[in-house]
Amino acid sequence: MLDNLKPQPADKILALMQSFRDDPRADKIDLGVGVYKDAEGRTPVMRAVRTAGKRLWETEQTKSYVGLLGDPAYGDALRDLILGDSVDPGQVSAAATPGGTGALRQGFELIRLAAPDAKIWLSDPTWPNHPSIIRYLGIEMGEYRYFDNATCTVDFEGMKEDLNAVAAGDVVVLHGCCHNPTGANLTLAQWGEVADILTDRGAIPFIDIAYQGFGDGLDADAAGTRLIASRMPQTLIAASCSKNFGIYRERTGLLMAITHDAKLKTVAQGTLAFLNRQNFSFPPDHGARLVTTILTDPDLRADWQAELEEVRAGMLRLRTQLADELRQRSNSDRFDFIAHHRGMFSRIGATPEQVEQMRKTNGIYMVGDSRMNIAGLNARTVPILAQAILDAGA
Ligand code: LMR
């Protein structure tokens, strides 16, 4: 049996992570995988997470099973963080999942179960694991235009034109905020136009929100998701706590299915539980419990928000510094988009050859499509990157 196996394609982000580790140069710069790093290059445990962890260690009395959907308090707390009061909580089914990827996987499986003929539409470009999982599940897939590589801004006219061609019952995946890989995001007015088009087409939105709090703040980053959830009859949402709580390895995610038809809620909730049972049974609990502890304790929550805000402000400072350096060194404003992008990533419009040159000559690692992780920089390395970008001819 095992002799039938063929080598699987490597995930380009994870392969880049390995090449960076293998590079012996001391001055190499990692702008690859989407993990937050402070100015010293560390990915710290957040203060509130450490406190919540200690508290759990002291008070947790059992490690017995929770439930197929996870701890309901976790689902409630994260639902409220993401959706605010945009929808009636009674309309939301939620299942804890192993990370945001687990939520996406379960969501795609739910789509395959409920609408086997539906096509799933992804932004061009998108996070490479979206098409990879959809292809693996054998679901039909399409792309809608999203990014203008020449200006490094959202190609909203192209996006609208393509969304206007999706069929009734198709699913459209949208990045809730901090678009990965581009960093270019929709305005709230544009979210409203997208909701109009999807309503008109009878399509179902599936929002992937993995960076809430990294762009313009916790509420601002959820505004598009809230608008969609409040206006569309049915919405799926995959959420991750990996980044905004810094608990990557704890695998803490949530899949939500929102329906304004109360009759559908029970069957949706049951299906989420069924799908969890088929794939891994009970979802991981430790990270979820850390998140619940933080979100339900006013002091811990305030401390978490303050630290998240420091992280966000730090990334914005790096964006401004990099755009300034590039403006001065290139004597042009063509890189100003870096200051306007939001979140952890910016796609800077360099060719794969230019990206390769920066890796070879300067030990700078960014994804081949020229996505860079802003958090991999610090005040000292920004000028080095700016010069490398220009030397590569980008
Ligand atoms: C990324 O895009 O770099 C992160 O979401 C990490 C991953 O799993 O790819």
Side-chain angles (χ1 to χ4, degrees):
M1 177 196 73
L2 296 181
D3 35 297
N4 291 332
L5 293 177
K6 295 183 189 68
Q8 298 296 334
D11 181 287
K12 62 181 182 182
I13 297 172
L14 304 186
L16 187 71
M17 215 168 142
Q18 191 54 47
S19 332
F20 179 80
R21 283 188 185 142
D22 294 344
D23 188 330
R25 284 174 284 186
D27 58 353
K28 60 189 176 176
I29 301 173
D30 181 12
L31 308 180
V33 69
V35 170
Y36 171 74
K37 286 188 239 126
D38 64 16
E40 280 77 46
R42 289 177 307 225
T43 303
V45 177
M46 293 179 87
R47 297 185 297 261
V49 169
R50 194 176 287 285
T51 309
K54 273 194 208 147
R55 198 177 289 177
L56 278 184
W57 185 74
E58 280 161 6
T59 57
E60 200 169 40
Q61 296 299 328
T62 179
K63 289 284 188 190
S64 179
Y65 292 126
V66 181
L68 285 177
L69 297 168
D71 178 9
Y74 164 68
D76 291 353
L78 199 56
R79 176 200 65 211
D80 290 350
L81 182 75
I82 295 166
L83 292 171
D85 56 9
S86 60
V87 292
D88 171 358
Q91 298 174 335
V92 184
S93 308
T97 55
T101 308
L104 287 164
R105 168 67 189 254
Q106 298 299 82
F108 294 142
E109 293 222 19
L110 180 139
I111 293 162
R112 191 174 58 170
L113 197 63
D117 296 329
K119 190 164 169 177
I120 302 182
W121 294 85
L122 299 171
S123 64
D124 175 22
T126 192
W127 184 50
N129 214 16
H130 285 152
S132 178
I133 299 173
I134 295 171
R135 198 175 301 117
Y136 178 68
L137 290 174
I139 303 172
E140 209 193 331
M141 182 165 60
E143 280 184 336
Y144 59 86
R145 274 169 287 170
Y146 184 80
F147 190 65
D148 178 344
N149 222 30
T151 59
C152 294
T153 56
V154 174
D155 172 10
F156 195 57
E157 290 310 310
M159 179 180 183
K160 283 195 294 188
E161 206 176 299
D162 291 347
L163 292 185
N164 264 312
V166 309
D170 279 357
V171 176
V172 175
V173 175
L174 299 157
H175 295 230
C177 61
C178 307
H179 186 268
N180 179 6
T182 68
N185 297 293
L186 300 179
T187 63
L188 196 55
Q190 290 172 332
W191 276 102
E193 288 188 61
V194 168
D196 289 342
I197 296 172
L198 298 188
T199 305
D200 193 45
R201 303 305 304 168
I204 292 125
F206 186 2
I207 298 178
D208 179 1
I209 181 156
Y211 296 88
Q212 190 186 358
F214 272 37
D216 290 308
L218 279 169
D219 286 323
D221 289 349
T225 304
R226 291 174 186 174
L227 181 148
I228 292 279
S230 66
R231 284 187 37 191
M232 302 295 299
Q234 298 183 358
T235 304
L236 295 175
I237 300 174
S240 169
C241 298
S242 296
K243 329 277 167 162
N244 52 6
F245 287 85
I247 50 172
Y248 305 84
R249 63 176 66 168
E250 300 290 0
R251 310 314 299 138
T252 310
L254 190 76
L255 174 63
M256 290 188 274
I258 305 170
T259 158
H260 298 295
D261 178 345
K263 288 198 298 293
L264 297 180
K265 156 93 192 255
T266 316
V267 68
Q269 185 92 32
T271 305
L272 296 185
F274 168 81
L275 286 173
N276 271 7
R277 182 67 169 160
Q278 305 321 302
N279 279 331
F280 44 79
S281 224
F282 300 92
D285 181 69
H286 185 69
R289 213 157 278 274
L290 293 172
V291 167
T292 314
T293 305
I294 292 167
L295 292 179
T296 56
D297 178 301
D299 291 340
L300 279 185
R301 187 180 177 124
D303 190 35
W304 167 69
Q305 278 187 216
E307 190 169 357
L308 181 59
E309 200 49 29
E310 287 162 29
V311 163
R312 191 178 78 80
M315 288 191 292
L316 281 182
R317 271 197 302 277
L318 289 167
R319 284 189 177 283
T320 312
Q321 189 193 349
L322 181 57
D324 288 350
E325 282 286 346
L326 282 161
R327 197 177 311 120
Q328 280 162 24
R329 286 169 196 255
S330 69
N331 211 12
S332 88
D333 58 6
R334 66 196 169 95
F335 289 101
D336 278 9
F337 63 83
I338 292 173
H340 302 136
H341 284 173
R342 283 294 178 273
M344 205 177 232
F345 307 116
S346 267
R347 177 150 149 179
I348 59 168
T351 63
E353 294 72 29
Q354 291 165 337
V355 169
E356 176 68 6
Q357 183 181 329
M358 287 186 259
R359 189 179 63 75
K360 277 209 179 114
T361 315
N362 312 92
I364 293 172
Y365 284 73
M366 61 179 78
V367 183
D369 63 2
S370 79
R371 182 194 87 168
M372 60 175 182
N373 175 5
I374 291 288
L377 292 165
N378 60 36
R380 185 188 59 79
T381 55
V382 163
I384 299 171
L385 172 66
Q387 195 52 51
I389 290 174
L390 297 176
D391 289 348

